[in-house]
Amino acid sequence: GAVVSQHPSRVICKSGTSVKIECRSLDFQATTMFWYRQFPKKSLMLMATSNEGSKATYEQGVEKDKFLINHASLTLSTLTVTSAHPEDSSFYICSATRVGGMDSPLHFGNGTRLTVT
Amino acid sequence: GENVEQHPSTLSVQEGDSAVIKCTYSDSASNYFPWYKQELGKRPQLIIDIRSNVGEKKDQRIAVTLNKTAKHFSLHITETQPEDSAVYFCAAVYTNAGKSTFGDGTTLTVKP
């Protein structure tokens, strides 16, 4: 149980285009999903907290107009990287907690390797 | 906000030896402390966790200890195996806020 699916696993796009990444909880409802960015050999950097039915909460230094987050249902959150640039190339990973389960471990998606050329 | 420091950043041990990774946190409100193992290019996997009302927890070769007064917690891996080689992350969570703060990670290498 507690499977989080993230899609796509890898994407290459041209500079200036937008890329959408989906994060789905497959067998549980997730009121809260988190989006992280991870640089090579570095830790997970929280970008934003996504709550179903409300606006995402962004961490300091993360541009909300650049990284659009939508949490339309209890099982789906999307991250759209708008007008991507080479410096946006990174490993993006989502995680989710169960409804009412803030003290439950995070369940991570497989991550998306974004390369902007 | 919460700040988590993790040491060491790299750790190399011989197969069969023990490995210890330590983390300290700053916010006394944090009450849940999971440890994750991440292999290259893959998702972090929970390996063990501990809540603030417990001082120690063990699961086969893996154990975690928590000292709330000193605000530090440690991961202990005994009888290490080459497949234990990975990056390990600690995290401190204030469950009311639902936000996890991760340590910078420890790259563990177990030499056969």
Side-chain angles (χ1 to χ4, degrees), chain B residues 61-107:
Chain B
R61 297 188 295 110
I62 296 173
V64 57
T65 58
L66 170 65
N67 183 326
K68 277 197 306 180
T69 304
K71 295 197 193 70
H72 66 70
F73 55 112
S74 300
L75 176 71
H76 304 252
I77 306 174
T78 59
E79 301 171 32
T80 54
Q81 300 164 4
E83 50 266 38
D84 293 331
S85 297
V87 179
Y88 291 81
F89 293 99
C90 64
V93 185
Y94 175 43
T95 56
N96 283 0
K99 185 183 288 189
S100 300
T101 303
F102 288 87
D104 285 341
T106 297
T107 301

Side-chain angles (χ1 to χ4, degrees), chain A residues 22-76:
Chain A
E22 290 188 349
C23 182
R24 292 180 185 272
S25 55
L26 297 185
D27 55 356
F28 67 100
Q29 293 184 324
T31 44
T32 304
M33 290 186 175
F34 303 90
W35 287 95
Y36 304 86
R37 185 172 179 177
Q38 188 174 34
F39 293 100
K41 298 186 179 180
K42 296 293 184 183
S43 188
L44 296 154
M45 183 188 79
L46 180 66
M47 298 173 66
T49 302
S50 166
N51 292 296
E52 185 264 338
S54 64
K55 290 185 179 180
T57 303
Y58 290 82
E59 295 300 302
Q60 192 173 9
V62 178
E63 299 175 60
K64 61 181 180 181
D65 295 330
K66 171 99 179 143
F67 299 99
L68 299 178
I69 292 172
N70 183 276
H71 194 149
S73 75
L74 283 172
T75 59
L76 174 64

Side-chain angles (χ1 to χ4, degrees), chain B residues 5-110:
Chain B
E5 294 191 0
Q6 183 173 345
H7 297 281
S9 56
T10 59
L11 179 60
S12 181
V13 299
Q14 207 65 39
E15 182 177 1
D17 288 350
S18 294
V20 180
I21 302 170
K22 298 182 178 181
C23 287
T24 60
Y25 61 100
S26 61
D27 191 346
S28 57
S30 291
N31 55 356
Y32 173 61
F33 307 92
W35 284 88
Y36 295 90
K37 175 184 180 182
Q38 186 179 27
E39 297 177 1
L40 190 64
K42 297 189 177 180
R43 75 177 91 193
Q45 299 269 18
L46 177 75
I47 56 171
I48 197 166
D49 57 8
I50 192 167
R51 301 182 195 283
S52 59
N53 59 347
V54 176
E56 184 174 357
K57 184 177 178 180
K58 189 174 182 180
D59 182 5
Q60 300 182 335
R61 297 188 295 110
I62 296 173
V64 57
T65 58
L66 170 65
N67 183 326
K68 277 197 306 180
T69 304
K71 295 197 193 70
H72 66 70
F73 55 112
S74 300
L75 176 71
H76 304 252
I77 306 174
T78 59
E79 301 171 32
T80 54
Q81 300 164 4
E83 50 266 38
D84 293 331
S85 297
V87 179
Y88 291 81
F89 293 99
C90 64
V93 185
Y94 175 43
T95 56
N96 283 0
K99 185 183 288 189
S100 300
T101 303
F102 288 87
D104 285 341
T106 297
T107 301
L108 173 64
T109 304
V110 180

